Each structure stands twice: as structure tokens, then as C-alpha cells.
């Protein structure tokens, strides 16, 4: 009888262990978090079903999604996370945040690193890691526009431009916005295995992750500067673009549209629909309380081929040069200088 009881206890213990999923938290800043940097990793990891992914913030207030106009509700505060997981999460993802050097946040990230958390930045989220000292003595990458500045400021880091993401020990950094998706799939492969990663990529219509990248092909040229100046000065042509929210919307498509249309220097993208809507994978998004009196156009959410479809829409609206400049900001091949 004792042997039977012990066997049952062991079986239940093993089952509980097998059912436990890695906890991945995406750190957000109430004052501003880049939409694509947050929403793409969230959607990919949540879609897998193999990890528990939460958006966390220092406070319970809505998170401003930039550069468009929308907000996301955090799913947990840092205080709640500490109560639920005293030893911290398994993985911390850091998007590009409006406040890059916050002492309290730096101390929290340092504590997670000491506890053994896997840490990954998306795009300019690497500035947050660098400010916390987590990239000292490591190789790292970042958005092409920031590379020169961080290389001058953070001399203890070897900044690279030859890969879409760099993993050095327990820390991964990614290049520009478009690198967040393949890097998140690569993280998923690490957490849940090749088969789960491939199936998740298939369901999302994503290509398998490829680290190859030529970062020197992304830079601000005279043509790009003239385009920005021309688009900005033509203020009478500035448009308000609606990005529709409906229940169960796809997070990657929404984030790409909100982000992309707000990088044209011709338009601002606004979430439009009910005051708040829940996404396909359980994230609550809010629109502004006061919307523009009218919208000049509506951005259609693309699935699959999200980025390419968004660039196609922008090209049809504002021309090829503006579409390629948006892609350049995403560090996407369509925007590479050699493609212009």
C-alpha cells in the first residue's frame, strides 16, 4: 500500500513538473513602449501555447503604445510578479522604452539576471540593458540608427551589425524592429523545442528564423533626409489614419500598422473602435478617449505577410520612397539602402 501511495505521489509530481511552463514577462513602460516591439513577441510566444507570457509594468495604469496612439493594459505589475514568483520569471523581454535609463528598473533587471533569468531586448530595448550594465563585456546589437551613439557611450560592449540578433550567454539583443519576430521564434525554439517553434511559425505565416543580416546596408542617406524634410514640411497633407480594433484582432498586424503608418512623416495612426478591445491572445488594447473628428484613411490589418502588406498599403498611399523609408526604420530588407 505504501509503495502504491509513493508511486502516486511521484506520478503527480512528475505530471505537475511536465505541466509547468516557462514564464516569460515582457517589460513595458507606462510612458511609452514601441508597439511592434511589445506585440510581436507577445503574439508569437502566446500562440505557441508552450510558455506563459505576461506583459508587466511598474504600475497598473495603461501602457502608451508608440509611435501611434493606443494603449495596452498590463497583465501584471512588478509587485504582483514578485508575490507570484519570488525568484523571478524565466525570461525577461525588454522592448524599446521611452525612458531608457531608470535606476529602479535597472536594479530590477540586475536582480533578475542574478536570479538566472534569460534576458532579451528588442531593437532599442538594448539601451535599457546597456544602462543597467547588463551588456558590459558582451557582444550585442541594436537598431541601426542607434548603433553609433551607443558605441560611443557604452564602450565596454562590442556592438555588432552582422546579425539580426546576438546571443551572448544568457542575454540576447536584436537589431531593428523586424528582427523581433525571428528572434522571438528562436527564443521559442530554445524554450520549447524545434517542433513547437516550427508549428507556431507555420500557424502565424512566419518564415523560419534566419540570423543573417547586413547591418551596413541600413543607414540614413541624403535621399532619406530629404524625404523626411519634405513629408514633414507638407503639413497640409498630414493624415489621420484609423487602425481598426475588433474583438480577437491579431496583435502583430495591429502593432505593425500602428507603428508603420506613424513612421511615414505623413500620418499618425490611431486605434479606432470600441473604447477597449481584447486581442486574439488575451491582451486588452484601448483607443484614445477623444479621436480625430475624421480619419483620412483606414489601414487594413494584414495577415499573413504583415510587414510586406503594410508597406504595400503605404506605397499605394504615399509612394514608394516613403514606403521604403518606413521599412528602413523597421530594418526590413525592403528598406535596405541598396534596394532603393
Amino acid at each position: 500500500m505504501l509503495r502504491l501511495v509513493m508511486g502516486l505521489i511521484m506520478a503527480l509530481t512528475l505530471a505537475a513538473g511536465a505541466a509547468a511552463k516557462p514564464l516569460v514577462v515582457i517589460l513595458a513602460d507606462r510612458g511609452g513602449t514601441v508597439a511592434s516591439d511589445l506585440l510581436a513577441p507577445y503574439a508569437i510566444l502566446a500562440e505557441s501555447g508552450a510558455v506563459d507570457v505576461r506583459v508587466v509594468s511598474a504600475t497598473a495604469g495603461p501602457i502608451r503604445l508608440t509611435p501611434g496612439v493606443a494603449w495596452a493594459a498590463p497583465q501584471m505589475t512588478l509587485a504582483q510578479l514578485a508575490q507570484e514568483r519570488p525568484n523571478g520569471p524565466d525570461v525577461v523581454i525588454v522592448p524599446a522604452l521611452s525612458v531608457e535609463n531608470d535606476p529602479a528598473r535597472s536594479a530590477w533587471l540586475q536582480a533578475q539576471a542574478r536570479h538566472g533569468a534569460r534576458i532579451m531586448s528588442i531593437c532599442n530595448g538594448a539601451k535599457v540593458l546597456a544602462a543597467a550594465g547588463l551588456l558590459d563585456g558582451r557582444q550585442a546589437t541594436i537598431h541601426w540608427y542607434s548603433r553609433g551613439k551607443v558605441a560611443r557611450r557604452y564602450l565596454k560592449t562590442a556592438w555588432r551589425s552582422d546579425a539580426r540578433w546576438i546571443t551572448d550567454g544568457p542575454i540576447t539583443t536584436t537589431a531593428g524592429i523586424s528582427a523581433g519576430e525571428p528572434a522571438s521564434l528562436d527564443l521559442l525554439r530554445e524554450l520549447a523545442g524545434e517542433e513547437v517553434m516550427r508549428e507556431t511559425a507555420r500557424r502565424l505565416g512566419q518564415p523560419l528564423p534566419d540570423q543573417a543580416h547586413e547591418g551596413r546596408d541600413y543607414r540614413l542617406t541624403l535621399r532619406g533626409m530629404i524625404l523626411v524634410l519634405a513629408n514633414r514640411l507638407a503639413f497640409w497633407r498630414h493624415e489621420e489614419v484609423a487602425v481598426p480594433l475588433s474583438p480577437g484582432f491579431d496583435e502583430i498586424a495591429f502593432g505593425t500598422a500602428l507603428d508603420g503608418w506613424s513612421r511615414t512623416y505623413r500620418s499618425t495612426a490611431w486605434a479606432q473602435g470600441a473604447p477597449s478591445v481584447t486581442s486574439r491572445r488575451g491582451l486588452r488594447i484601448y483607443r484614445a478617449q477623444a479621436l480625430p473628428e475624421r480619419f483620412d484613411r483606414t489601414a487594413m490589418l494584414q495577415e499573413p505577410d504583415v510587414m510586406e502588406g503594410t508597406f504595400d498599403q503605404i506605397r499605394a498611399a504615399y509612394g514608394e520612397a516613403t514606403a521604403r523609408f518606413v521599412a528602413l526604420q523597421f530594418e526590413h530588407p525592403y528598406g535596405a539602402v541598396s534596394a532603393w
Side-chain angles (χ1 to χ4, degrees):
M1 183 67 177
L2 179 60
R3 183 179 298 176
L4 179 62
V5 172
M6 292 300 294
L8 180 60
I9 292 173
M10 183 173 290
L12 290 172
T13 300
L14 290 173
K21 298 178 181 179
L23 175 61
V24 179
V25 300
I26 302 178
L27 188 61
D29 187 322
R30 182 178 181 179
T33 303
V34 171
S36 296
D37 290 358
L38 185 154
L39 295 174
Y42 176 84
I44 289 168
L45 296 173
E47 175 66 26
S48 76
V51 301
D52 183 9
V53 57
R54 313 276 187 91
V55 174
V56 300
S57 182
T59 67
I63 301 151
R64 174 65 190 272
L65 297 177
T66 61
V69 187
W71 287 260
Q75 296 165 313
M76 181 182 285
T77 64
L78 292 179
Q80 291 169 334
L81 175 63
Q83 287 184 335
E84 185 174 311
R85 290 285 293 261
N87 291 327
D90 298 291
V91 180
V92 178
I93 296 178
V94 183
L97 305 176
S98 60
V99 178
E100 296 161 353
N101 189 359
D102 177 84
R105 184 196 296 132
S106 292
W108 184 84
L109 285 168
Q110 292 162 2
Q112 306 319 302
R114 286 195 301 271
H115 292 154
R118 181 86 164 71
I119 298 176
M120 182 169 81
S121 65
I122 306 294
C123 191
N124 279 333
K127 292 183 180 180
V128 178
L129 301 192
L134 296 180
L135 300 183
D136 290 355
R138 298 186 184 278
Q139 298 182 56
T141 191
I142 196 169
H143 189 279
W144 62 265
Y145 188 77
S146 300
R147 194 176 300 116
K149 182 178 179 180
V150 295
R152 292 187 295 271
R153 183 172 183 181
Y154 299 105
L155 302 178
K156 296 179 181 179
T157 303
W159 297 97
R160 292 173 52 184
S161 62
D162 60 338
R164 299 193 81 188
W165 67 92
I166 302 290
T167 297
D168 189 334
I171 295 181
T172 294
T173 52
T174 82
I177 298 166
S178 67
E181 295 172 15
S184 296
L185 285 168
D186 191 63
L187 174 66
L188 179 60
R189 172 163 48 199
E190 180 182 325
L191 295 174
E194 182 76 19
E195 185 177 346
V196 170
M197 184 277 290
R198 285 178 173 270
E199 176 57 24
T200 302
R202 185 195 64 76
R203 290 201 303 271
L204 291 171
Q206 293 273 344
L208 296 178
D210 182 358
Q211 207 168 359
H213 188 55
E214 181 47 79
R216 291 174 297 182
D217 205 13
Y218 299 85
R219 60 188 184 276
L220 186 58
T221 63
L222 177 60
R223 182 177 180 181
M225 289 188 284
I226 291 172
L227 174 73
V228 170
L229 186 63
N231 281 3
R232 273 186 164 173
L233 289 178
F235 59 87
W236 62 90
R237 296 188 301 172
H238 186 88
E239 295 187 340
E240 310 297 348
V241 177
V243 182
L245 284 176
S246 57
F249 68 91
D250 179 71
E251 299 90 349
I252 299 177
F254 172 76
T256 301
L258 190 77
D259 204 332
W261 283 93
S262 296
R263 293 180 185 273
T264 64
Y265 294 90
R266 283 280 310 271
S267 55
T268 301
W270 300 68
Q272 182 198 38
S276 67
V277 178
T278 300
S279 74
R280 185 171 301 172
R281 301 164 187 94
L283 193 61
R284 196 143 193 87
I285 301 294
Y286 301 90
R287 64 162 172 78
Q289 292 183 348
L291 295 172
E293 291 184 4
R294 70 177 183 85
F295 286 104
D296 299 286
R297 65 180 70 242
T298 297
M300 304 306 296
L301 299 189
Q302 299 290 316
E303 292 184 72
D305 300 326
V306 172
M307 287 189 187
E308 292 82 355
T310 300
F311 302 150
D312 284 346
Q313 288 186 59
I314 293 171
R315 182 174 60 246
Y318 305 138
E320 183 175 354
T322 295
R324 287 193 185 276
F325 190 75
V326 171
L328 175 66
Q329 293 172 79
F330 273 71
E331 205 159 335
H332 183 280
Y334 181 65
V337 171
S338 60
W340 283 50

